[in-house]
Amino acid sequence: NKAIRLSELITQLAVLNWVRENTPELRDDPVARRELRERTATIEAIISAEIQDVLFPQKVASSGQSYFYHAGKELAFEQETLIPYLSEILDKNYAKSPVLWNEIINRNVPSSQAAMARKKIVHGILESSRLEKFGFEGSPPERSIYENLIAGNDLHKEFDGEWRIQAPARGNSLFPVWQVMEEIVFKAQVSQTTVQDLFDILHAEPYGLTYGVAPILLCVFLKIFDTETTLYQQGVLLSAP
């Protein structure tokens, strides 16, 4: 079964990526690093070939024994690839998903380098928002995240000579996500919401916000509503995020 095989391959790739990101001993072992790169490249190539077979149904449907369904209905193919059908389905399922052009942080499991850059972005939001570009200089990863995610969505602007954080405007692709954050945090019935529950809601349909971006947007939210929100860790009130 191709679906089961593809799932197994993706699991193998996830394991290899976890090893790369969570094994500091690799820094001192060039042989192990090379072997890990080669195994990862091999699995990625196999996955790519398997996906091609799935996306081009004629390759697997030539025997007349393969059928494709969505929402209980069989798909009648008028094109040679599944890509247009998948695009249409995902556009409907994630109609409120933000458009974010940054591959460094716009992923569910950022690399260690991206996580460090995100930490600097968070510090900039909470502590250095009065500075242009949060004081970043040169072209480090955090500068790229700032330009694409923060400045690119007008979340950090200058007003009367003073730089400050602001919420995404109506019409911005982040606005639907921002709206649901306000609804959850400021719902009529006063109650606590865990950060993980909030992130899970934002990650699910129809928003699809990645777990890599969610902490940054939450810090923007906390910065703007700093006098109206509180954070607790294991029942203890935090003085700052």
Side-chain angles (χ1 to χ4, degrees):
N1 185 295
K2 285 186 175 291
I4 294 177
R5 173 170 167 75
L6 188 57
S7 176
E8 292 173 345
L9 289 168
I10 292 173
T11 299
Q12 291 181 42
L13 182 60
V15 170
L16 292 173
N17 287 335
W18 186 93
V19 170
R20 186 187 70 239
E21 297 296 336
N22 296 276
T23 312
E25 294 82 1
L26 287 171
R27 288 196 297 264
D28 303 318
D29 193 336
V31 176
R33 288 202 307 272
R34 183 173 66 251
E35 181 179 350
L36 182 61
R37 284 196 304 269
E38 291 174 352
R39 291 182 62 182
T40 301
T42 299
I43 294 295
E44 287 177 341
I46 296 173
I47 289 176
S48 179
E50 292 288 332
I51 289 177
Q52 288 300 311
D53 279 347
V54 172
L55 293 182
F56 291 86
Q58 284 75 10
K59 293 184 179 181
V60 294
S62 57
S63 64
Q65 298 177 349
S66 298
Y67 304 91
F68 296 85
Y69 292 83
H70 173 61
K73 297 181 180 179
E74 183 179 356
L75 296 178
F77 292 106
E78 298 177 356
Q79 304 184 53
E80 295 182 354
T81 172
L82 277 174
I83 293 176
Y85 297 94
L86 293 176
S87 294
E88 182 179 351
I89 291 168
L90 292 175
D91 284 344
K92 290 180 180 178
N93 289 356
Y94 292 93
K96 296 183 178 181
S97 180
V99 179
L100 304 173
W101 300 100
N102 190 285
E103 295 184 359
I104 297 175
I105 200 62
N106 192 23
R107 53 184 66 220
N108 288 323
V109 184
S111 67
S112 55
Q113 182 185 34
M116 181 60 69
R118 180 177 62 190
K119 186 176 181 179
K120 293 178 181 178
I121 288 289
V122 167
H123 182 272
I125 294 170
L126 299 176
E127 303 294 339
S128 305
S129 60
R130 69 189 183 284
L131 301 177
E132 183 178 1
K133 297 180 175 62
F134 296 162
F136 296 147
E137 297 180 352
S139 302
E142 56 269 21
R143 175 69 180 275
S144 172
I145 297 173
Y146 172 86
E147 295 293 351
N148 297 139
L149 178 58
I150 304 298
N153 287 285
D154 289 332
L155 302 182
H156 189 220
K157 295 190 70 176
E158 184 180 21
F159 296 92
D160 298 326
E162 179 183 350
W163 286 87
R164 60 173 181 256
I165 297 293
Q166 68 171 15
R170 186 178 297 274
N172 187 299
S173 69
L174 281 170
F175 186 74
V177 175
W178 190 267
Q179 272 191 312
V180 76
M181 289 177 70
E182 288 187 336
E183 292 171 4
I184 293 170
V185 175
F186 298 127
K187 54 190 173 186
Q189 183 178 358
V190 178
S191 63
Q192 293 184 351
T193 300
T194 69
V195 170
Q196 188 59 55
D197 285 346
L198 176 62
F199 286 176
D200 288 344
I201 292 171
L202 300 180
H203 182 67
E205 298 177 14
Y207 307 104
L209 188 72
T210 62
Y211 289 112
V213 171
I216 296 176
L217 195 60
L218 175 60
C219 286
V220 172
F221 189 90
L222 294 175
K223 180 67 175 180
I224 292 175
F225 296 110
D226 59 343
T227 61
E228 302 168 66
T229 55
T230 53
L231 280 179
Y232 289 82
Q233 184 175 30
Q234 297 180 341
V236 178
L237 177 65
L238 299 178
S239 59

